[in-house]
Each structure stands twice: as structure tokens, then as C-alpha cells.
């Protein structure tokens, strides 16, 4: 299981310190939540702050876009050379074109599914993706409770993924803790995002270790 702490739950007054600390504590990716106040009812960070995160990070960035104009934001963040950029299928009319654009910029493309969106919505895109991110909370805020019926969706997505593109990773985001991580691994998750669980823990290392199963 790869672990991607979400810096949304970091101390923003000490952002560089926290980003360095999660990297030193052994995370695999640094998950960055970009919200525009339109696609979701919250507003987070733009290129100035994400560039400060990129400078502090010694692990690759995993940028999760929760925005209306995906192409604009992909162009904005591409110079920071993230490992992944993920965009929501619910907000993209030309997903295949955007996947190609992200890949042409040297970034791995990923698509996000909201809790209500079935895996079949991206069946014909899986072969072109490096990762599918399944939301296990409604996007917009850290610290929400895990939605249990998402597990069935992961199992279904894994069946599709195993047949169509075994190299495409499955990532989960929202309400992940040491208590549900084993169940998520059994269902087929390869990468977990964890915000409040990691940042509320006294030891980032212990928290990350407990998810590295
Ligand atoms: C929610 C974000 C998540 C969030 C996860 O819209 O995409 O990445 O920060 O936070 P926790 O792990 O606290 O649910
Ligand atoms: Zn996220």
C-alpha cells in the first residue's frame, strides 16, 4: 500500500515544516487538494502555495483537482512537475483529450470518481490512465467519515482494472485510518490518501507505518 498524506490537514502556518516531516516520515506521495470554490464548496490553494509545497517536498506530488476548469489548472500546475494530476470525471466534457494533454506534459494522468459515480463511467478510459482515485467522502473537506458502500465500488473497479489495464493504480481518498486500511487493501486499493489521520497523530511516522500494509 502506498501512502499519500493530504496536506489539507497540515498546519498551514508551518506548511514547509510539515511537508518535509511527512516526507522524512516515509510517505510515498504528497497529496495536494486544489479546490476552486465552484466545483466544491471550499477554496484551498493555488500555484504560489503549491510551488512552496513542491520546494519543501522530497517525495513526488499527487495533485487532486476539484475545480471547474480542469485544463486551465493542469496548465497552471504542470511546471511544478507533479507525478500525478487527477481530475473529476463529473466535471470534464472531454476527458480523453485531457488525459492526452496531461501525459504530453510528462505527468501521469488520473481520474477521480465521486461517491455516486459508478466505475463504468470511466470503463473506456481505464486503458489510458495511470491511476483512478475513488472518493470515499464527498469532496471538499478533510476530517469527514468514510462512506462504507464505496468498498463495493472498489471491488467492481478492480475487476475492470485487472482486465483492461493492470498497471492502473486504484487510490482511495477520504476517512482513511488504521481501522479501515486492511479492508481497503483486501478490496483492491493500491494507494491511500490520509489527511486528518496522519496530521492528528503524535507521530507522523507511526501513522504512515500503520497504513503501509
Ligand atoms: C477531500 C480531499 C481529501 C481530504 C482527506 O475533498 O480530497 O484529500 O483531505 O482528508 P481525510 O483523510 O481527513 O478524510
Ligand atoms: Zn484529495
Amino acid at each position: 500500500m502506498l501512502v499519500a498524506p493530504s496536506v489539507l490537514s497540515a498546519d498551514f502556518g508551518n506548511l514547509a515544516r510539515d511537508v518535509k516531516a511527512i516526507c522524512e516520515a516515509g510517505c510515498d506521495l504528497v497529496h495536494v487538494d486544489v479546490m476552486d470554490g465552484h466545483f466544491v464548496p471550499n477554496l484551498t490553494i493555488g500555484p504560489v502555495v503549491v510551488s512552496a509545497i513542491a520546494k519543501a517536498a522530497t517525495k513526488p506530488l499527487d495533485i487532486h483537482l476539484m475545480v471547474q476548469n480542469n485544463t486551465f489548472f493542469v496548465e497552471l500546475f504542470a511546471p511544478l512537475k507533479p507525478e500525478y494530476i487527477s481530475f473529476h470525471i463529473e466535471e470534464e466534457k472531454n476527458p480523453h483529450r485531457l488525459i492526452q494533454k496531461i501525459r504530453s506534459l510528462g505527468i501521469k494522468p488520473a481520474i477521480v470518481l465521486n461517491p455516486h459515480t459508478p466505475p463504468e463511467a470511466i470503463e473506456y478510459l481505464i486503458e489510458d490512465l495511470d491511476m483512478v482515485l475513488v472518493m470515499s467522502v464527498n469532496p471538499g473537506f478533510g476530517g469527514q467519515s468514510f462512506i462504507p458502500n464505496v468498498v463495493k465500488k472498489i471491488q467492481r473497479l478492480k475487476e475492470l482494472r485487472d482486465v483492461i489495464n493492470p498497471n492502473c493504480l486504484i487510490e482511495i481518498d477520504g476517512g482513511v485510518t488504521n481501522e479501515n486500511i486492511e479492508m481497503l487493501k483486501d478490496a483492491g486499493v493500491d494507494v491511500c490518501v490520509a489527511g486528518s489521520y496522519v496530521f492528528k497523530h503524535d507521530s507522523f511516522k507511526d501513522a504512515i507505518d500503520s497504513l503501509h500494509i
Side-chain angles (χ1 to χ4, degrees):
M1 177 74 69
L2 300 177
V3 180
S6 162
V7 295
L8 190 59
S9 294
D11 173 359
F12 271 64
N14 293 288
L15 192 52
R17 181 201 67 187
D18 275 8
V19 170
K20 283 184 190 137
I22 50 166
C23 293
E24 279 164 19
C27 74
D28 301 285
L29 294 164
V30 174
H31 185 82
V32 178
D33 290 301
V34 175
M35 308 183 189
D36 68 351
H38 296 282
F39 178 63
V40 286
N42 195 8
L43 192 59
T44 58
I45 51 178
V48 174
V49 178
V50 181
S51 129
I53 293 172
K55 223 179 261 172
T58 52
K59 299 292 170 66
L61 298 193
D62 171 30
I63 297 184
H64 174 190
L65 298 179
M66 284 159 273
V67 300
Q68 276 187 346
N69 189 343
N70 285 305
T71 304
F72 171 78
F73 283 90
V74 165
E75 286 168 355
L76 210 54
F77 292 116
L80 300 175
K81 301 272 171 234
E83 178 100 347
Y84 295 95
I85 292 185
S86 58
F87 64 88
H88 276 259
I89 191 68
E90 301 85 10
E91 193 56 47
E92 185 51 51
K93 290 198 182 73
N94 291 294
H96 190 264
R97 178 183 291 152
L98 186 56
I99 290 168
Q100 288 175 310
K101 182 177 181 79
I102 294 171
R103 202 176 284 295
S104 76
L105 292 164
I107 301 161
K108 293 175 178 165
I111 283 188
V112 196
L113 304 177
N114 265 337
H116 71 278
T117 306
E120 285 75 12
I122 56 156
E123 183 170 352
Y124 299 106
L125 297 168
I126 291 175
E127 63 184 277
D128 300 302
L129 290 170
D130 282 62
M131 189 158 75
V132 177
L133 169 50
V134 176
M135 292 307 300
S136 40
V137 295
N138 289 298
F141 302 92
Q144 304 180 80
S145 307
F146 183 84
I147 299 172
N149 72 11
V150 164
V151 176
K152 275 182 266 163
K153 190 157 89 179
I154 292 165
Q155 288 163 341
R156 175 75 191 120
L157 175 62
K158 184 182 183 318
E159 287 169 11
L160 290 174
R161 185 278 306 268
D162 288 352
V163 172
I164 300 169
N165 178 5
N167 294 322
C168 175
L169 299 178
I170 298 176
E171 184 178 39
I172 188 103
D173 185 2
V176 172
T177 69
N178 60 333
E179 285 178 11
N180 53 23
I181 194 72
E182 290 209 19
M183 171 188 73
L184 294 170
K185 188 176 171 106
D186 290 347
V189 170
D190 306 295
V191 186
C192 71
V193 175
S196 48
Y197 174 69
V198 168
F199 284 97
K200 277 190 184 155
H201 213 285
D202 291 339
S203 156
F204 294 167
K205 184 169 183 325
D206 288 353
I208 291 169
D209 284 352
S210 72
L211 301 175
H212 260 153
I213 58 168

